[in-house]
Amino acid sequence: MKPNASQPHWLRLPGPTGWEWWTRGGGHSGDWKPSAEPPKSGERLAYGFESAACDSVPAWVSSGDPEIIESVIAMELEGLGIRVPAGPGRHLGWRSVGSDGPRRLVHAIVVPGQIDATSRGRATDWSGFFPAAVAFRPPARAIVLWRELDRWMVGFEHHEQWIHFQSLGPGDLDADLLREIQCLQLELEGRRMSGTIDNLTIWSDGEPVKAALRDEAQQILGLPVRVSPRPTPSPALVDGWHYEPAEIALERDRQANIRRWMQLGLVAALVYVLLIGAGVADLLVARRTNAAMAARIDELSPTADVIREAKARWEAVELALDVDRYPVELFYRVANLFPEKGLRMTHFEIREDGQIVVRGEASSVPVAIGFKSDLENAQGLGDYEWNIPAPEIDGDTATFVAYGTYRYAPVTDESQ
């Protein structure tokens, strides 16, 4: 509620006949003065609720515990039929204004959930909310009368702090209004909430006070009338009163959500940009790696050609140099598997592609099958993969054929 050192601080207060803007004259060091011009957008503002829209409730509480005080205030409000606006925001505040032994005299004020329609549209600019009456210091030992928005307000003080205020409605100052003030005074005195009162102070807005009213005040209230200008508001007096209307709380939540979503959007965009950057960087690194590998391949290509040519020459002469693949050696190893009786070889061939073809006759199918097993498990023929179809039976004889393919034969490119 104190003025910001870097920019003007404005107050929005209900005046005698309409809403007023107050600002400091001479920057931040002058007195508060009403301004005909409204503040500019973005300046810090404080809003005072009109007193007629507030519910003022004084109460005695036999404890200094804030939780107990709030419980007693809640019961007082319920007993008076006063409801605190529901929903977000803060609409109830209280302040201790005196004590009597262990008891505390507490002044609670309930504010409405909405601000004046002419003051809306500045949810982000408002820096504080308070009942307008608490921005003015009441004179000592006095009942105070003043006008707000064409309504008469009355306030009662306790050691120069408000203990209660309420609206008396529109109209002129007359005997009926003074009698209503008398009823309030008697109730507060009966509850020992007000001290000695020795005058009725009227904060004038320029209109003269009739002599008849002075006589009626002396007759009804037993108090002399004092007339003085409405004092200058003091934002320092509202320290400790913390309010936030529901509509302002909702608007601030909405704007906070917008900022939160914008921040999330910015974070998501930043992550997206980082991912794209990482992908581009990875692509550039991959391209540099591929370029380096291509250069290395070009560098090693002559050596690789020499190796391929040497490999091809070796494969061309491998059959002639490999003892294990000599036709005579292979014939010997196959023939060595034939027993003396029951099985004979009728054909042995090594084709141009290196495949071995063995044909033979067996005295029975089991003997032919046994030879198949011997051929597949022969230690000297393990480099060959054997394909042996089922034998053909011709009377008592079983004719068979076996095809052996070299497992490590070079792979030829069929497209060449």
Side-chain angles (χ1 to χ4, degrees):
M1 292 305 305
K2 296 180 181 179
N4 187 289
S6 62
Q7 55 185 331
H9 191 100
W10 293 73
L11 301 179
R12 182 68 163 163
L13 296 173
T17 59
W19 286 91
E20 299 175 342
W21 286 108
W22 288 71
T23 186
R24 278 185 182 273
H28 301 286
S29 59
D31 296 331
W32 286 92
K33 295 181 180 180
S35 173
E37 297 295 328
K40 298 179 180 179
S41 178
E43 295 187 297
R44 289 168 59 85
L45 315 173
Y47 180 87
F49 291 97
E50 57 182 293
S51 302
C54 301
D55 292 300
S56 171
V57 180
W60 282 105
V61 182
S62 298
S63 174
D65 187 340
E67 293 186 1
I68 296 178
I69 292 175
E70 292 183 1
S71 298
V72 173
I73 291 174
M75 289 189 292
E76 289 282 343
L77 295 175
E78 185 178 356
L80 295 172
I82 299 173
R83 293 187 177 182
V84 179
R90 180 179 175 84
H91 308 98
L92 171 63
W94 58 270
R95 176 182 288 179
S96 177
V97 298
S99 62
D100 180 13
R103 298 198 305 165
R104 289 179 178 268
L105 181 58
V106 175
H107 184 202
I109 303 175
V110 178
V111 300
Q114 296 182 340
I115 63 176
D116 171 66
T118 62
S119 304
R120 294 176 183 169
R122 297 177 176 269
T124 57
D125 296 336
W126 296 116
S127 61
F129 300 87
F130 57 92
V134 302
F136 301 91
R137 186 183 299 279
R141 304 164 68 91
I143 299 174
V144 185
L145 277 172
W146 73 95
R147 280 207 310 162
E148 267 189 19
L149 305 180
D150 291 323
R151 296 186 184 90
W152 282 104
M153 304 297 304
V154 62
F156 298 85
E157 67 85 36
H158 184 92
H159 300 304
E160 298 187 44
Q161 297 186 75
W162 295 114
I163 185 59
H164 181 60
F165 59 82
Q166 79 176 54
S167 173
L168 299 175
D172 298 326
L173 288 175
D174 54 20
D176 291 338
L177 185 144
L178 293 174
R179 290 189 183 94
E180 188 172 351
I181 294 175
Q182 182 186 33
C183 291
L184 292 172
Q185 178 188 4
L186 292 174
E187 181 181 357
L188 292 173
E189 287 180 349
R191 299 174 64 185
R192 300 181 62 185
M193 291 180 173
S194 64
T196 302
I197 298 175
D198 57 19
N199 72 90
L200 174 65
T201 296
I202 300 177
W203 286 342
S204 173
D205 51 3
E207 295 185 4
V209 176
K210 298 178 181 179
L213 179 68
R214 297 176 182 272
D215 295 337
E216 289 174 338
Q218 187 67 52
Q219 181 182 355
I220 297 173
L221 299 176
L223 300 173
V225 175
R226 295 179 181 175
V227 180
S228 64
R230 184 174 58 153
T232 299
S234 176
L237 296 175
V238 305
D239 286 344
W241 296 99
H242 302 294
Y243 295 93
E244 186 180 39
E247 61 175 323
I248 300 298
L250 289 172
E251 177 62 16
R252 287 177 174 172
D253 287 344
R254 186 185 70 83
Q255 294 182 7
N257 286 333
I258 291 175
R259 288 193 298 271
R260 195 155 41 243
W261 281 110
M262 289 181 63
Q263 291 171 354
L264 290 175
L266 289 174
V267 171
L270 178 60
V271 171
Y272 183 72
V273 170
L274 291 175
L275 289 175
I276 292 177
V280 171
D282 185 65
L283 179 60
L284 293 176
V285 171
R287 285 182 175 178
R288 285 197 296 268
T289 303
N290 291 341
M293 292 179 64
R296 183 61 175 165
I297 290 173
D298 292 339
E299 180 183 350
L300 297 177
S301 181
T303 304
D305 291 341
V306 172
I307 294 174
R308 279 194 291 269
E309 291 176 2
K311 179 175 181 293
R313 289 196 298 270
W314 166 255
E315 290 176 349
V317 299
E318 180 182 9
L319 184 62
L321 299 177
D322 189 356
V323 176
D324 290 334
R325 297 185 62 192
Y326 282 181
V328 175
E329 180 65 23
L330 292 174
F331 175 77
Y332 170 76
R333 293 178 181 180
V334 172
N336 199 40
L337 297 176
F338 282 80
E340 294 181 1
K341 295 181 180 181
L343 189 67
R344 73 186 182 91
M345 183 188 306
T346 60
H347 177 82
F348 180 86
E349 176 186 0
I350 298 180
R351 297 178 176 175
E352 292 183 359
D353 59 0
Q355 186 182 53
I356 300 174
V357 180
V358 179
R359 299 180 185 275
E361 294 179 350
S363 59
S364 64
V365 172
V367 173
I369 293 175
F371 175 74
K372 173 184 177 182
S373 177
D374 293 341
L375 192 61
E376 290 175 340
N377 297 317
Q379 185 174 2
L381 298 173
D383 291 342
Y384 288 83
E385 182 178 356
W386 295 94
N387 177 22
I388 305 175
E392 296 180 359
I393 300 174
D394 184 11
D396 294 334
T397 304
T399 303
F400 64 88
V401 61
Y403 302 94
T405 303
Y406 187 58
R407 298 179 187 270
Y408 311 109
V411 178
T412 58
D413 188 351
E414 296 181 357
S415 62
Q416 295 181 352

